[in-house]
Amino acid sequence: DLVCPLLTVHQRLEDASRLWLKTAENYFRPDDFRINLNACITYLRSITWVLQKSKSKFLDFESWYGIWQAKMKNDSVMRWCIESRNHIEKEGDLETYSCVKVCILSNWEEPPVVEFKVSPFLTTEEIASNINLQNIPNQVIETGILSIERRWVSSNLTKYELLDALAYIYGFLTNLIKDAHDVLGVESSFDYTQPIDGRLPIMASFIENRIIFIKLATNEHIEGQKTLNETTKGDIEIARKRYGITESTNIPDPNNSTLLSIAEFYFELAKKILVKDGHHIQIVILILPDGNQIRMSLDLKDRSEKYMGFRQVAQEVVNTGAIRLISISEAWMAKPDPTKPFQTATDSPDRIEIIKLDAISFEGESFSITAPFIHEGNKIVIEDSIIDEKVKILYLDPIRRIWEKQKRI
Protein backbone atom coordinates (compact mmCIF):
# COMPACT_ATOMS: atom_id res chain seq x y z
CA ASP A 1 0.00 0.00 0.00
CA LEU A 2 1.09 3.56 -0.73
CA VAL A 3 1.96 5.68 2.32
CA CYS A 4 -0.02 8.90 2.60
CA PRO A 5 2.33 11.86 1.97
CA LEU A 6 0.60 13.80 4.78
CA LEU A 7 0.66 11.01 7.35
CA THR A 8 2.33 13.13 10.03
CA VAL A 9 -0.22 15.90 9.49
CA HIS A 10 -3.33 13.87 10.07
CA GLN A 11 -1.63 11.97 12.88
CA ARG A 12 -1.23 15.34 14.58
CA LEU A 13 -4.93 16.05 13.92
CA GLU A 14 -5.87 12.72 15.52
CA ASP A 15 -3.73 13.61 18.53
CA ALA A 16 -5.58 16.94 18.81
CA SER A 17 -8.93 15.12 18.76
CA ARG A 18 -7.78 12.92 21.67
CA LEU A 19 -6.75 16.00 23.63
CA TRP A 20 -10.16 17.56 22.92
CA LEU A 21 -11.78 14.47 24.42
CA LYS A 22 -9.49 14.64 27.48
CA THR A 23 -10.42 18.30 27.92
CA ALA A 24 -14.11 17.39 27.72
CA GLU A 25 -13.71 14.53 30.21
CA ASN A 26 -12.27 17.00 32.72
CA TYR A 27 -14.86 19.72 32.17
CA PHE A 28 -15.88 19.76 35.82
CA ARG A 29 -12.31 19.40 37.19
CA PRO A 30 -10.81 22.89 36.76
CA ASP A 31 -7.09 22.07 37.10
CA ASP A 32 -7.19 19.06 34.76
CA PHE A 33 -9.39 21.01 32.35
CA ARG A 34 -6.79 23.82 32.24
CA ILE A 35 -3.90 21.42 31.59
CA ASN A 36 -5.66 19.61 28.73
CA LEU A 37 -7.01 22.87 27.29
CA ASN A 38 -3.48 24.26 26.98
CA ALA A 39 -2.24 21.05 25.37
CA CYS A 40 -5.15 20.88 22.92
CA ILE A 41 -4.63 24.49 21.76
CA THR A 42 -0.90 23.86 21.32
CA TYR A 43 -1.49 20.74 19.22
CA LEU A 44 -4.15 22.40 17.08
CA ARG A 45 -1.85 25.35 16.42
CA SER A 46 1.03 23.04 15.44
CA ILE A 47 -0.93 21.27 12.69
CA THR A 48 -0.27 23.98 10.10
CA TRP A 49 3.43 23.97 11.01
CA VAL A 50 3.62 20.23 10.36
CA LEU A 51 1.75 20.74 7.09
CA GLN A 52 4.25 23.39 5.97
CA LYS A 53 7.07 20.88 6.56
CA SER A 54 5.49 18.85 3.73
CA LYS A 55 5.29 21.69 1.20
CA SER A 56 7.89 20.07 -1.09
CA LYS A 57 5.27 17.46 -1.95
CA PHE A 58 3.03 20.10 -3.59
CA LEU A 59 3.47 21.57 -7.06
CA ASP A 60 2.64 25.11 -5.89
CA PHE A 61 2.24 25.03 -2.12
CA GLU A 62 2.57 28.80 -1.58
CA SER A 63 -0.33 29.72 -3.89
CA TRP A 64 -2.63 27.04 -2.49
CA TYR A 65 -1.73 27.59 1.17
CA GLY A 66 -1.91 31.38 0.78
CA ILE A 67 -5.67 31.08 0.23
CA TRP A 68 -6.05 29.16 3.49
CA GLN A 69 -3.79 31.61 5.33
CA ALA A 70 -6.10 34.44 4.26
CA LYS A 71 -9.10 32.48 5.55
CA MET A 72 -7.38 31.96 8.91
CA LYS A 73 -6.40 35.62 9.14
CA ASN A 74 -10.01 36.69 8.57
CA ASP A 75 -11.45 34.19 11.03
CA SER A 76 -11.73 35.48 14.61
CA VAL A 77 -11.63 31.98 16.18
CA MET A 78 -8.56 30.90 14.20
CA ARG A 79 -6.80 34.15 15.15
CA TRP A 80 -7.69 33.46 18.78
CA CYS A 81 -6.08 30.00 18.50
CA ILE A 82 -2.81 31.49 17.21
CA GLU A 83 -2.74 34.23 19.85
CA SER A 84 -3.70 31.80 22.64
CA ARG A 85 -0.92 29.39 21.81
CA ASN A 86 1.59 32.26 21.87
CA HIS A 87 0.22 33.40 25.25
CA ILE A 88 0.42 29.85 26.69
CA GLU A 89 4.02 29.40 25.53
CA LYS A 90 5.32 32.84 26.52
CA GLU A 91 3.13 34.16 29.35
CA GLY A 92 1.24 31.29 30.98
CA ASP A 93 -2.35 30.08 31.23
CA LEU A 94 -5.19 31.75 29.40
CA GLU A 95 -7.53 33.98 31.36
CA THR A 96 -10.69 31.87 31.54
CA TYR A 97 -13.77 31.81 33.72
CA SER A 98 -16.65 29.49 34.52
CA CYS A 99 -20.19 30.72 34.00
CA VAL A 100 -23.73 29.44 33.55
CA LYS A 101 -26.57 30.29 31.22
CA VAL A 102 -29.97 30.00 32.86
CA CYS A 103 -33.39 30.16 31.23
CA ILE A 104 -36.93 28.92 31.75
CA LEU A 105 -38.58 26.94 28.96
CA SER A 106 -42.32 27.56 29.18
CA ASN A 107 -43.31 27.96 25.52
CA TRP A 108 -41.78 27.54 22.07
CA GLU A 109 -40.29 31.01 21.80
CA GLU A 110 -36.58 31.75 22.33
CA PRO A 111 -36.43 32.31 26.10
CA PRO A 112 -34.59 35.21 27.71
CA VAL A 113 -31.25 34.01 29.07
CA VAL A 114 -29.39 35.16 32.16
CA GLU A 115 -25.63 34.52 32.22
CA PHE A 116 -23.40 34.94 35.27
CA LYS A 117 -20.01 33.81 36.52
CA VAL A 118 -19.82 31.01 39.08
CA SER A 119 -17.14 29.16 40.95
CA PRO A 120 -15.94 26.21 38.85
CA PHE A 121 -15.95 24.12 42.03
CA LEU A 122 -19.74 24.40 42.50
CA THR A 123 -21.84 21.55 41.12
CA THR A 124 -24.64 22.40 38.72
CA GLU A 125 -27.11 21.16 41.33
CA GLU A 126 -25.69 23.59 43.91
CA ILE A 127 -26.03 26.42 41.42
CA ALA A 128 -29.66 25.44 40.74
CA SER A 129 -30.53 25.47 44.45
CA ASN A 130 -29.38 29.10 44.73
CA ILE A 131 -31.40 30.47 41.78
CA ASN A 132 -34.26 32.72 42.85
CA LEU A 133 -37.50 31.45 41.28
CA GLN A 134 -39.90 33.70 43.16
CA ASN A 135 -42.60 35.70 41.36
CA ILE A 136 -42.93 33.16 38.54
CA PRO A 137 -46.58 32.77 37.37
CA ASN A 138 -48.34 29.54 38.38
CA GLN A 139 -48.97 28.46 34.79
CA VAL A 140 -45.23 28.65 34.15
CA ILE A 141 -44.45 26.68 37.32
CA GLU A 142 -46.91 23.95 36.25
CA THR A 143 -45.29 23.19 32.89
CA GLY A 144 -41.97 25.07 32.87
CA ILE A 145 -38.44 23.67 32.72
CA LEU A 146 -35.37 25.29 34.26
CA SER A 147 -32.39 24.92 31.90
CA ILE A 148 -28.87 25.40 33.30
CA GLU A 149 -25.89 25.29 30.94
CA ARG A 150 -22.32 25.20 32.28
CA ARG A 151 -19.72 27.07 30.22
CA TRP A 152 -15.98 27.63 30.25
CA VAL A 153 -15.17 30.89 28.43
CA SER A 154 -11.96 32.67 27.43
CA SER A 155 -11.84 36.35 28.31
CA ASN A 156 -10.63 37.02 24.74
CA LEU A 157 -13.39 35.00 23.04
CA THR A 158 -16.51 35.55 25.09
CA LYS A 159 -19.01 34.61 22.38
CA TYR A 160 -17.79 30.99 22.29
CA GLU A 161 -17.80 28.24 24.87
CA LEU A 162 -14.22 26.95 24.94
CA LEU A 163 -14.87 23.38 23.77
CA ASP A 164 -17.06 24.74 20.98
CA ALA A 165 -14.21 27.03 19.94
CA LEU A 166 -11.74 24.12 19.91
CA ALA A 167 -14.23 22.00 17.93
CA TYR A 168 -14.61 24.82 15.41
CA ILE A 169 -10.81 25.01 15.01
CA TYR A 170 -10.59 21.24 14.64
CA GLY A 171 -13.26 21.35 11.91
CA PHE A 172 -11.51 24.19 10.09
CA LEU A 173 -8.22 22.28 10.10
CA THR A 174 -9.93 19.04 9.05
CA ASN A 175 -11.28 20.80 5.98
CA LEU A 176 -7.85 22.31 5.30
CA ILE A 177 -6.17 18.89 5.41
CA LYS A 178 -8.90 17.30 3.31
CA ASP A 179 -8.31 19.99 0.71
CA ALA A 180 -4.58 19.29 0.85
CA HIS A 181 -5.24 15.62 0.02
CA ASP A 182 -7.51 16.66 -2.85
CA VAL A 183 -4.81 18.99 -4.24
CA LEU A 184 -2.26 16.18 -4.05
CA GLY A 185 -4.72 13.75 -5.63
CA VAL A 186 -4.30 11.18 -2.87
CA GLU A 187 -6.68 9.40 -0.54
CA SER A 188 -6.21 9.14 3.20
CA SER A 189 -7.12 6.46 5.72
CA PHE A 190 -8.24 9.28 8.01
CA ASP A 191 -12.02 9.88 8.00
CA TYR A 192 -12.66 13.42 6.79
CA THR A 193 -16.39 12.88 6.16
CA GLN A 194 -17.60 14.41 9.43
CA PRO A 195 -21.22 15.67 9.29
CA ILE A 196 -20.76 19.25 10.47
CA ASP A 197 -17.93 21.39 9.15
CA GLY A 198 -15.29 18.73 9.80
CA ARG A 199 -16.11 18.30 13.50
CA LEU A 200 -16.42 14.89 15.12
CA PRO A 201 -19.99 13.97 16.16
CA ILE A 202 -19.06 14.04 19.87
CA MET A 203 -17.81 17.61 19.41
CA ALA A 204 -21.16 18.71 18.02
CA SER A 205 -23.21 16.94 20.70
CA PHE A 206 -21.15 17.57 23.84
CA ILE A 207 -23.40 20.50 24.80
CA GLU A 208 -25.88 17.89 26.07
CA ASN A 209 -23.36 16.95 28.77
CA ARG A 210 -23.18 20.56 29.96
CA ILE A 211 -26.92 21.15 30.44
CA ILE A 212 -29.32 19.95 33.10
CA PHE A 213 -33.11 20.33 33.01
CA ILE A 214 -35.26 20.65 36.13
CA LYS A 215 -39.06 20.59 36.29
CA LEU A 216 -40.22 23.70 38.13
CA ALA A 217 -43.32 21.96 39.50
CA THR A 218 -41.49 19.05 41.13
CA ASN A 219 -37.80 20.10 41.23
CA GLU A 220 -37.16 16.81 39.40
CA HIS A 221 -34.09 16.43 37.17
CA ILE A 222 -35.13 15.07 33.79
CA GLU A 223 -33.30 13.68 30.82
CA GLY A 224 -34.66 13.21 27.34
CA GLN A 225 -35.41 9.55 26.69
CA LYS A 226 -34.52 9.22 23.03
CA THR A 227 -33.01 6.60 20.79
CA LEU A 228 -31.41 7.25 17.41
CA ASN A 229 -31.28 4.75 14.56
CA GLU A 230 -30.40 5.13 10.91
CA THR A 231 -33.35 3.99 8.79
CA THR A 232 -32.20 1.19 6.49
CA LYS A 233 -33.76 -0.81 3.68
CA GLY A 234 -33.93 -3.68 6.15
CA ASP A 235 -36.14 -1.59 8.44
CA ILE A 236 -38.47 -0.88 5.53
CA GLU A 237 -38.66 -4.59 4.66
CA ILE A 238 -39.54 -5.48 8.27
CA ALA A 239 -42.25 -2.82 8.18
CA ARG A 240 -43.54 -4.22 4.85
CA LYS A 241 -44.06 -7.65 6.39
CA ARG A 242 -45.48 -6.55 9.75
CA TYR A 243 -47.81 -3.83 8.51
CA GLY A 244 -48.87 -5.23 5.15
CA ILE A 245 -47.13 -2.78 2.84
CA THR A 246 -47.45 -4.25 -0.66
CA GLU A 247 -44.52 -4.62 -3.01
CA SER A 248 -46.26 -2.23 -5.40
CA THR A 249 -45.98 0.58 -2.85
CA ASN A 250 -43.16 2.85 -3.94
CA ILE A 251 -40.85 3.96 -1.14
CA PRO A 252 -39.85 7.57 -1.95
CA ASP A 253 -36.19 8.22 -2.63
CA PRO A 254 -35.35 11.28 -0.46
CA ASN A 255 -32.89 12.51 -3.09
CA ASN A 256 -35.57 12.61 -5.81
CA SER A 257 -38.81 13.14 -3.90
CA THR A 258 -40.71 16.07 -2.49
CA LEU A 259 -41.10 16.40 1.26
CA LEU A 260 -44.86 15.95 0.80
CA SER A 261 -44.50 12.61 -1.03
CA ILE A 262 -42.12 11.33 1.67
CA ALA A 263 -44.52 12.53 4.38
CA GLU A 264 -47.52 10.89 2.71
CA PHE A 265 -45.66 7.55 2.60
CA TYR A 266 -44.77 7.76 6.30
CA PHE A 267 -48.29 8.86 7.23
CA GLU A 268 -49.83 5.85 5.50
CA LEU A 269 -47.31 3.66 7.34
CA ALA A 270 -48.18 5.41 10.63
CA LYS A 271 -51.88 4.61 10.16
CA LYS A 272 -51.06 0.94 9.55
CA ILE A 273 -48.88 0.90 12.70
CA LEU A 274 -51.69 2.48 14.73
CA VAL A 275 -54.25 -0.09 13.54
CA LYS A 276 -51.90 -3.07 13.95
CA ASP A 277 -50.26 -2.15 17.28
CA GLY A 278 -53.03 -0.08 18.84
CA HIS A 279 -50.72 2.89 19.43
CA HIS A 280 -47.99 4.99 17.79
CA ILE A 281 -45.03 6.32 19.75
CA GLN A 282 -43.51 9.74 19.10
CA ILE A 283 -41.15 9.42 16.13
CA VAL A 284 -38.97 12.08 14.53
CA ILE A 285 -37.29 11.41 11.18
CA LEU A 286 -34.31 13.55 10.24
CA ILE A 287 -33.46 13.59 6.53
CA LEU A 288 -29.84 14.47 5.75
CA PRO A 289 -28.46 16.21 2.64
CA ASP A 290 -27.26 12.88 1.21
CA GLY A 291 -30.73 11.33 1.59
CA ASN A 292 -29.87 9.19 4.61
CA GLN A 293 -32.47 9.19 7.35
CA ILE A 294 -32.11 9.07 11.11
CA ARG A 295 -35.07 7.93 13.17
CA MET A 296 -35.51 9.24 16.71
CA SER A 297 -37.89 7.61 19.16
CA LEU A 298 -38.95 10.04 21.90
CA ASP A 299 -40.50 9.26 25.28
CA LEU A 300 -41.96 12.60 26.37
CA LYS A 301 -44.42 12.18 29.20
CA ASP A 302 -45.89 15.67 29.44
CA ARG A 303 -45.73 19.22 28.12
CA SER A 304 -42.68 20.06 30.24
CA GLU A 305 -40.68 17.23 28.72
CA LYS A 306 -41.85 18.22 25.25
CA TYR A 307 -40.35 21.71 25.78
CA MET A 308 -37.05 20.04 26.60
CA GLY A 309 -37.28 17.19 24.10
CA PHE A 310 -37.74 19.23 20.95
CA ARG A 311 -34.90 21.53 21.88
CA GLN A 312 -32.80 18.36 22.04
CA VAL A 313 -34.17 17.42 18.62
CA ALA A 314 -32.99 20.84 17.42
CA GLN A 315 -29.51 19.98 18.73
CA GLU A 316 -29.60 16.71 16.74
CA VAL A 317 -30.41 18.78 13.64
CA VAL A 318 -27.19 20.69 14.36
CA ASN A 319 -25.25 17.48 15.03
CA THR A 320 -26.37 15.72 11.86
CA GLY A 321 -26.85 18.61 9.42
CA ALA A 322 -30.44 17.51 8.74
CA ILE A 323 -32.35 19.59 6.16
CA ARG A 324 -35.81 18.00 6.48
CA LEU A 325 -37.75 16.83 9.51
CA ILE A 326 -40.88 14.73 9.94
CA SER A 327 -42.58 14.24 13.32
CA ILE A 328 -45.29 11.61 13.84
CA SER A 329 -47.36 10.85 16.94
CA GLU A 330 -50.76 10.36 18.41
CA ALA A 331 -52.22 13.58 19.79
CA TRP A 332 -55.31 15.22 21.22
CA MET A 333 -57.13 17.91 19.25
CA ALA A 334 -59.74 20.39 20.51
CA LYS A 335 -61.10 23.80 19.63
CA PRO A 336 -59.61 26.60 21.78
CA ASP A 337 -61.80 27.77 24.67
CA PRO A 338 -61.55 31.60 24.88
CA THR A 339 -62.56 31.46 28.56
CA LYS A 340 -59.60 29.18 29.36
CA PRO A 341 -56.57 30.61 27.53
CA PHE A 342 -54.08 28.26 29.20
CA GLN A 343 -56.08 25.07 28.67
CA THR A 344 -54.41 22.60 26.33
CA ALA A 345 -56.18 20.10 24.07
CA THR A 346 -55.16 17.36 26.53
CA ASP A 347 -57.32 18.96 29.25
CA SER A 348 -60.32 19.82 27.06
CA PRO A 349 -63.53 17.83 27.66
CA ASP A 350 -64.24 18.05 23.91
CA ARG A 351 -60.95 16.57 22.78
CA ILE A 352 -60.66 13.96 20.04
CA GLU A 353 -57.79 11.58 19.22
CA ILE A 354 -55.78 12.02 16.05
CA ILE A 355 -52.75 10.57 14.33
CA LYS A 356 -50.62 13.51 13.25
CA LEU A 357 -47.61 14.15 11.03
CA ASP A 358 -45.81 17.49 10.98
CA ALA A 359 -43.10 18.26 8.42
CA ILE A 360 -40.72 21.19 7.92
CA SER A 361 -37.60 21.79 5.86
CA PHE A 362 -34.54 24.03 5.68
CA GLU A 363 -36.07 25.57 2.54
CA GLY A 364 -39.14 26.74 4.47
CA GLU A 365 -41.72 24.05 3.71
CA SER A 366 -44.22 23.45 6.50
CA PHE A 367 -47.40 21.36 6.65
CA SER A 368 -49.38 18.91 8.77
CA ILE A 369 -51.30 15.76 7.90
CA THR A 370 -53.91 14.67 10.44
CA ALA A 371 -56.57 11.98 10.70
CA PRO A 372 -59.01 11.57 13.61
CA PHE A 373 -59.57 8.03 14.87
CA ILE A 374 -61.96 6.26 17.22
CA HIS A 375 -61.92 2.99 19.14
CA GLU A 376 -64.65 0.48 18.24
CA GLY A 377 -64.17 -2.41 20.63
CA ASN A 378 -60.71 -3.79 19.97
CA LYS A 379 -60.45 -2.07 16.62
CA ILE A 380 -59.23 1.39 15.63
CA VAL A 381 -61.10 3.14 12.86
CA ILE A 382 -59.26 6.00 11.17
CA GLU A 383 -61.12 8.75 9.37
CA ASP A 384 -60.03 10.65 6.25
CA SER A 385 -56.72 12.51 6.25
CA ILE A 386 -56.44 16.30 6.01
CA ILE A 387 -53.38 18.18 4.73
CA ASP A 388 -52.95 21.69 6.16
CA GLU A 389 -50.21 23.92 4.75
CA LYS A 390 -51.22 26.97 6.82
CA VAL A 391 -51.16 25.53 10.32
CA LYS A 392 -48.62 26.96 12.77
CA ILE A 393 -46.46 24.12 14.09
CA LEU A 394 -45.14 25.95 17.13
CA TYR A 395 -43.29 23.05 18.78
CA LEU A 396 -40.93 22.87 15.78
CA ASP A 397 -39.89 26.52 16.16
CA PRO A 398 -36.58 25.54 17.87
CA ILE A 399 -35.61 23.68 14.67
CA ARG A 400 -36.65 26.59 12.48
CA ARG A 401 -34.46 28.94 14.51
CA ILE A 402 -31.47 26.62 14.00
CA TRP A 403 -32.00 26.70 10.24
CA GLU A 404 -32.46 30.47 10.21
CA LYS A 405 -29.15 30.88 12.01
CA GLN A 406 -27.46 28.56 9.51
CA LYS A 407 -28.81 30.60 6.60
CA ARG A 408 -27.29 33.77 8.06
CA ILE A 409 -23.79 32.25 8.35
Side-chain angles (χ1 to χ4, degrees):
D1 294 340
L2 294 176
V3 177
C4 174
L6 300 179
L7 182 62
T8 56
V9 180
H10 55 72
Q11 281 180 340
R12 184 59 59 96
L13 187 66
E14 288 187 65
D15 291 343
S17 72
R18 294 189 184 98
L19 284 167
W20 188 96
L21 290 171
K22 291 293 291 183
T23 309
E25 288 170 6
N26 289 286
Y27 203 86
F28 300 103
R29 292 186 286 272
D31 288 336
D32 291 334
F33 178 83
R34 173 183 54 80
I35 293 167
N36 286 285
L37 171 68
N38 290 346
C40 187
I41 291 172
T42 301
Y43 262 70
L44 287 168
R45 175 65 184 101
S46 70
I47 288 169
T48 54
W49 295 340
V50 177
L51 176 62
Q52 290 176 71
K53 291 287 186 181
S54 303
K55 64 181 179 181
S56 62
K57 298 169 184 176
F58 292 74
L59 289 176
D60 187 1
F61 179 84
E62 300 300 337
S63 296
W64 168 78
Y65 188 62
I67 296 171
W68 281 96
Q69 278 186 313
K71 290 180 181 179
M72 286 186 273
K73 184 178 180 181
N74 293 323
D75 190 300
S76 60
V77 183
M78 297 305 296
R79 288 200 310 271
W80 172 83
C81 179
I82 295 169
E83 293 164 1
S84 296
R85 183 267 170 191
N86 293 339
H87 185 98
I88 291 167
E89 291 295 319
K90 299 174 183 178
E91 300 182 45
D93 296 334
L94 297 180
E95 184 179 341
T96 61
Y97 59 88
S98 173
C99 65
V100 292
K101 279 188 172 182
V102 178
C103 65
I104 292 176
L105 311 178
S106 61
N107 54 44
W108 298 112
E109 297 176 1
E110 189 77 34
V113 175
V114 176
E115 183 171 341
F116 52 89
K117 294 181 181 180
V118 296
S119 166
F121 296 99
L122 284 177
T123 66
T124 309
E125 290 75 11
E126 288 171 332
I127 294 167
S129 66
N130 290 316
I131 294 174
N132 185 355
L133 297 176
Q134 294 181 352
N135 302 320
I136 296 177
N138 288 336
Q139 63 267 22
V140 173
I141 293 289
E142 289 174 6
T143 61
I145 294 282
L146 179 66
S147 168
I148 304 176
E149 176 190 347
R150 296 296 297 263
R151 291 166 56 85
W152 276 105
V153 179
S154 167
S155 299
N156 295 326
L157 195 72
T158 57
K159 291 184 179 180
Y160 279 79
E161 189 279 328
L162 273 170
L163 281 181
D164 285 346
L166 297 181
Y168 176 92
I169 296 163
Y170 178 92
F172 185 103
L173 294 170
T174 297
N175 291 328
L176 164 62
I177 299 169
K178 180 182 183 302
D179 191 41
H181 282 81
D182 292 342
V183 168
L184 290 171
V186 297
E187 294 185 0
S188 170
S189 60
F190 190 81
D191 181 11
Y192 293 106
T193 58
Q194 307 303 339
I196 303 297
D197 297 331
R199 289 175 290 163
L200 296 169
I202 182 62
M203 292 179 176
S205 63
F206 185 74
I207 186 174
E208 296 179 10
N209 298 329
R210 299 192 282 106
I211 299 179
I212 66 168
F213 297 98
I214 300 173
K215 282 188 177 182
L216 293 176
T218 63
N219 206 34
E220 170 191 2
H221 291 209
I222 56 173
E223 295 181 7
Q225 299 298 315
K226 66 179 187 294
T227 56
L228 278 72
N229 300 100
E230 187 169 343
T231 300
T232 65
K233 290 182 179 179
D235 296 327
I236 298 297
E237 289 308 312
I238 292 172
R240 277 190 189 279
K241 294 176 181 178
R242 178 169 177 78
Y243 302 111
I245 303 173
T246 63
E247 290 293 337
S248 61
T249 302
N250 292 322
I251 301 171
D253 176 2
N255 288 318
N256 299 294
S257 304
T258 65
L259 180 58
L260 180 59
S261 64
I262 299 170
E264 287 177 325
F265 168 80
Y266 277 117
F267 193 69
E268 290 305 311
L269 177 58
K271 291 194 292 184
K272 292 178 183 294
I273 291 171
L274 180 62
V275 170
K276 176 74 174 179
D277 297 343
H279 68 281
H280 196 296
I281 63 172
Q282 176 86 57
I283 293 289
V284 172
I285 299 165
L286 304 179
I287 303 176
L288 312 188
D290 61 4
N292 285 331
Q293 300 176 45
I294 295 175
R295 186 177 69 256
M296 300 177 64
S297 303
L298 304 178
D299 181 16
L300 306 175
K301 299 180 179 62
D302 54 31
R303 194 172 186 83
S304 295
E305 295 190 13
K306 195 171 182 179
Y307 287 143
M308 173 201 66
F310 274 89
R311 283 173 169 85
Q312 292 181 322
V313 170
Q315 184 59 45
E316 288 300 330
V317 169
V318 174
N319 298 348
T320 60
I323 57 172
R324 290 170 164 178
L325 180 146
I326 292 171
S327 173
I328 310 168
S329 68
E330 294 180 52
W332 295 107
M333 185 170 69
K335 291 182 179 180
D337 184 342
T339 66
K340 299 177 181 178
F342 298 108
Q343 178 176 268
T344 64
T346 304
D347 300 320
S348 172
D350 302 319
R351 67 188 185 181
I352 61 171
E353 286 184 283
I354 61 171
I355 182 75
K356 185 172 188 281
L357 179 150
D358 297 312
I360 60 173
S361 75
F362 180 85
E363 298 301 327
E365 298 163 284
S366 179
F367 58 85
S368 292
I369 309 176
T370 58
F373 66 89
I374 57 174
H375 296 266
E376 291 186 351
N378 294 326
K379 293 184 178 180
I380 289 178
V381 179
I382 302 177
E383 300 178 16
D384 292 338
S385 304
I386 299 171
I387 298 176
D388 189 343
E389 296 181 348
K390 296 182 179 180
V391 66
K392 293 182 179 179
I393 313 171
L394 296 179
Y395 75 95
L396 296 182
D397 277 355
I399 292 92
R400 288 194 187 91
R401 287 195 292 270
I402 291 294
W403 284 334
E404 288 303 316
K405 289 178 183 177
Q406 291 175 347
K407 289 175 184 178
R408 292 195 295 268
I409 296 175

